[in-house]
Amino acid sequence: MLAYLPVLLFVLVGLGFGAVTIGLSTIIVPRRENAVKNSAYECGVEPVGNARGRFSVKFYLVAVLFILFDIEAVFLYPWAVSFHQLGLYGLIEMVLFILILLAGYFYLLKKRALEWE
Amino acid sequence: MAALMQNEAFQVALWAMVKVGIILGVMLGVVSYLIYAERKICGHIQARTGPNRVGPLGLLQPIADVGKLLFKEEFIPAGANKVVFHIAPILAVFPAIVTFSVIPMGPAPMFVVTDINVGLLLFLAMSSLGVYAITLGGWSSNNKYALLGGLRSSAQMISYELALGLSTIPVLLRSGTLSLSGIVDSQAGNLKAFGTTLPLPNWGIFHWYLVLPFFIFLICSFAETNRAPFDLPEAEGELVAGFHTEYSSMKWALFFLGEYMNMIVICSIMVTLYLGGWHGPGVDKFAPLGLVWFLTKLFALLFFFIWVRWTYPRLRYDQLMGFGWKVLLPASIVNVVIAAVWLYWRANA
């Protein structure tokens, strides 16, 4: 477990670096605020509404599909590492698993879930 | 005190602290001159000279830029979610720094910070975290351009991450380990094929079933680092500056720093997985040469990134998503199956 200690240090340094930089900059940067400066930037015209509205459902769909295929990848990693110990049985099992996933992939294509019109 | 010095955990921590200091310092220096190199190369590609006023050949330009950014006025837009707005830039640099703890930059133990047996998984986990910085930064600004940039970026990055993750699997099939040092070791020596030893190094890229994954990984890295031709999140013609439209001063600088650090990290991973890591002629006689080889390959890839950025036009968003899902993803899955069948056949026939 000792090998993970440097990773933990890097995590702390990584968080600390950003936090210290932002902390220092809040102390030294000048601030002369006014209402116009603090309004959202919309190319010079008066901002209309705010950005907390609705957006395309397509983005949610991509996120759901990502989770499906990412879990596939998660199953592939342990298999790939112990590939040579698993032998023919492991190979056939994984090919079947990938074929089932590909069936799902073709269903997505057929349903036009991957189109962006 | 003497007892503390004998403590193994303390020694590991001490060495890691020294190395994290060196790595962070070198990274910051490399990033500032990478930005200079980008502007200079971009200038020459566009038949200009690039920055040439501050110092000889403009070499002091990065220092002037940092000084300017430090003293810039900072805005936080009204209606922004202040907490998230401050956290997002920290998250932009955090993953790149953490990933550097597992990259072998030369022969162990001198040039390796730590060799954990899930090194590649750590890289994948951290590259996924990079999405948060951009999405949260875009959402918290309460700006429509920033929101659109953030959304586009998260959809793009998760789409290309699939193909990126799958294209590393043939490497694992060959090496049988997730440790990055183990993967580098599996690429030592000369290539053996057709029953003889060829005058080629045993790097991943010289094995036929790793050629396609290398190019898939390369294309996905452009998308993961949000660089042209996949820089849709900050397409300046459509979205002003995308997710960091409302960021200024050092917060903006952290996003910029994160982008270039991620570029260095992803190129290092590419060198490690496909280009033989720190292996090269003469490393077995003189170990520090490993670092030289590693950096040579790294800078060659970084130059390629810059070259591509200033050569290719930007894709349209539907083309981008279509390419990721309909070309790269199936290609990488099929390649996994082909590589597995080939490796099994070769081991057992």
Side-chain angles (χ1 to χ4, degrees):
Chain A
M1 287 310 280
L2 212 51
Y4 288 86
L5 189 62
V7 180
L8 182 68
L9 274 174
F10 270 70
V11 169
L12 295 178
V13 169
L15 289 175
F17 175 73
V20 167
T21 314
I22 288 184
L24 279 181
S25 87
T26 32
I27 298 171
I28 56 174
V29 297
R31 272 226 185 77
R32 282 176 289 274
E33 301 184 16
N34 63 45
V36 178
K37 262 188 198 171
N38 284 347
S39 67
Y41 178 76
E42 286 187 13
C43 307
V45 293
E46 292 274 316
V48 183
N50 68 8
R52 297 282 185 263
R54 297 188 289 180
F55 52 83
S56 173
V57 72
K58 279 278 176 196
F59 291 107
Y60 294 101
L61 192 60
V62 168
V64 171
L65 295 182
F66 164 73
I67 291 179
L68 284 181
F69 283 94
D70 210 35
I71 288 173
E72 176 198 0
V74 167
F75 280 124
L76 281 173
Y77 280 103
W79 165 76
V81 170
S82 45
F83 174 68
H84 289 288
Q85 288 96 327
L86 290 175
L88 188 63
Y89 178 70
L91 179 65
I92 292 173
E93 283 285 298
M94 197 40 85
V95 169
L96 283 177
F97 174 68
I98 289 176
L99 281 179
I100 293 169
L101 264 153
L102 277 181
Y105 178 77
F106 284 116
Y107 177 74
L108 289 179
L109 276 185
K110 190 96 173 127
K111 281 278 174 188
R112 300 175 61 77
L114 304 177
E115 307 291 330
W116 276 83
E117 274 94 50
Chain B
M1 193 64 201
L4 193 61
M5 290 301 285
Q6 294 297 316
N7 187 327
E8 199 189 352
F10 179 76
Q11 283 181 353
V12 170
L14 196 67
W15 271 112
M17 261 340 263
V18 172
K19 282 174 181 170
V20 75
I22 295 173
I23 288 177
L24 198 59
V26 171
M27 272 267 260
L28 291 177
V30 169
V31 166
S32 26
Y33 279 91
L34 194 61
I35 295 166
Y36 169 79
E38 169 124 46
R39 294 173 66 181
K40 207 74 181 166
I41 292 167
C42 148
H44 282 281
I45 285 176
Q46 298 174 342
R48 303 182 279 114
T49 53
N52 63 353
R53 291 303 153 119
V54 191
L57 295 172
L59 275 170
L60 298 179
Q61 184 73 43
I63 297 161
D65 284 343
V66 170
K68 180 196 76 177
L69 281 167
L70 268 174
F71 297 105
K72 274 278 179 187
E73 182 173 0
E74 186 179 54
F75 313 109
I76 298 170
N81 185 322
K82 289 228 167 50
V83 178
V84 182
F85 191 80
H86 281 78
I87 288 175
I90 301 178
L91 285 180
V93 286
F94 164 71
I97 294 177
V98 175
T99 315
F100 246 88
S101 63
V102 291
I103 294 174
M105 282 163 270
M110 185 60 107
F111 301 105
V112 180
V113 179
T114 182
D115 178 27
I116 60 175
N117 55 10
V118 290
L120 190 63
L121 286 187
L122 185 87
F123 157 70
L124 288 166
M126 287 302 149
S127 80
S128 308
L129 279 185
V131 183
Y132 282 100
I134 291 174
T135 315
L136 291 179
W139 174 80
S140 67
S141 307
N142 193 22
N143 175 309
K144 294 179 198 90
Y145 298 112
L147 179 73
L148 284 176
L151 284 175
R152 273 187 180 189
S153 170
S154 48
Q156 166 186 336
M157 283 170 89
I158 61 179
S159 300
Y160 278 77
E161 209 166 273
L162 290 176
L164 182 110
L166 287 172
S167 67
T168 59
I169 288 183
V171 178
L172 303 179
L173 287 175
R174 199 173 95 76
S175 69
T177 171
L178 278 163
S179 142
L180 290 177
S181 294
I183 291 172
V184 171
D185 288 339
S186 75
Q187 303 177 66
N190 276 32
L191 186 66
K192 290 186 184 66
F194 314 116
T196 56
T197 303
L198 299 178
L200 275 177
N202 192 19
W203 299 353
I205 182 90
F206 292 117
H207 295 265
W208 64 267
Y209 53 88
L210 288 180
V211 174
L212 184 64
F214 172 73
F215 285 105
I216 292 175
F217 196 99
L218 184 69
I219 294 168
C220 292
S221 337
F222 293 135
E224 286 288 304
T225 49
N226 293 320
R227 287 176 64 85
F230 301 113
D231 60 343
L232 275 293
E234 41 189 297
E236 55 270 21
E238 311 161 21
L239 291 178
V240 192
F243 61 90
H244 55 48
T245 302
E246 293 290 357
Y247 279 92
S248 47
S249 184
M250 277 321 269
K251 292 204 188 74
W252 178 84
L254 282 179
F255 271 116
F256 206 61
L257 191 66
E259 185 185 324
Y260 280 85
M261 276 186 175
N262 277 326
M263 209 164 108
I264 296 176
V265 164
I266 214 154
C267 287
S268 310
I269 294 286
M270 233 183 306
V271 169
T272 306
L273 295 184
Y274 302 101
L275 300 179
W278 43 265
H279 280 296
V283 173
D284 41 348
K285 291 183 196 72
F286 185 60
L289 208 56
L291 184 66
V292 176
W293 278 113
F294 177 81
L295 290 178
T296 310
K297 294 172 194 175
L298 175 63
F299 287 128
L301 272 180
L302 287 173
F303 173 75
F304 185 73
F305 265 60
I306 296 173
W307 188 10
V308 165
R309 172 167 177 185
W310 298 104
T311 309
Y312 287 105
R314 183 179 301 132
L315 272 77
R316 226 169 49 217
Y317 199 67
D318 58 324
Q319 294 170 330
L320 169 99
M321 296 303 277
F323 186 61
W325 282 97
K326 291 184 197 155
V327 180
L328 295 182
L329 182 63
S332 52
I333 293 179
V334 169
N335 197 88
V336 168
V337 176
I338 292 175
V341 171
W342 160 257
L343 284 172
Y344 180 79
W345 178 79
R346 205 186 56 176
N348 293 284

